[in-house]
Amino acid sequence: MPMNPHYALTEPLRDAVDSLSARWPVLVEFGAPWCPHCINAQPLLEQAFEDRHEQVQHIKVEDGKGQALGRSFKVKLWPTLIFLRDGAEVARLVRPTNAEDIRTALRRVDGD
């Protein structure tokens, strides 16, 4: 699956994310469309996804105060990228500043 450029209209439930990550590698991106750090991370994500991670399910979640999914992952800063495989977190990047860190985490979650 290619990079997802759009935030989900509704926040998925934690059980749904855990269930999906038991079947597929998942990247959950927490942020907000107006956040400058999140905006700056988008070209880095695009570059990292050029490596063709077809199996990775990319879920973009607009986070905010009181949002249950972000709190369940203990998200404090945006963007936070959480890489899940087999129902477990395998990598986490907070405010990434280069595409190579994202590529490395994608390879880990994708099994490369």
Side-chain angles (χ1 to χ4, degrees):
M1 170 180 244
M3 178 188 151
N4 176 9
H6 304 288
Y7 286 93
L9 296 176
T10 58
E11 179 183 64
L13 297 173
R14 175 66 189 256
D15 287 345
V17 172
D18 290 341
S19 177
L20 182 63
S21 73
R23 294 188 314 268
W24 300 97
V26 174
L27 162 56
V28 184
E29 175 186 351
F30 291 94
W34 50 263
C35 164
H37 299 287
C38 303
I39 293 166
N40 290 339
Q42 296 315 295
L44 304 176
L45 281 159
E46 289 174 16
Q47 291 170 29
F49 268 95
E50 287 175 354
D51 292 348
R52 313 285 273 160
H53 296 279
E54 300 294 330
Q55 299 299 313
V56 176
Q57 306 296 304
H58 180 202
I59 303 169
K60 260 178 110 114
V61 177
E62 185 170 351
D63 196 32
K65 186 176 182 178
Q67 296 292 92
L69 188 61
R71 301 308 63 81
S72 73
F73 281 104
K74 297 180 176 31
V75 171
K76 303 255 189 238
L77 296 171
W78 301 330
T80 294
L81 310 177
I82 299 176
F83 301 82
L84 305 164
R85 183 174 184 89
D86 298 325
E89 184 175 324
V90 296
R92 178 182 293 236
L93 297 173
V94 178
R95 292 191 175 168
T97 57
N98 66 74
E100 190 54 41
D101 289 344
I102 301 170
R103 279 188 187 101
T104 299
L106 280 169
R107 284 192 296 268
R108 283 186 64 200
V109 77
D110 206 10
D112 290 347

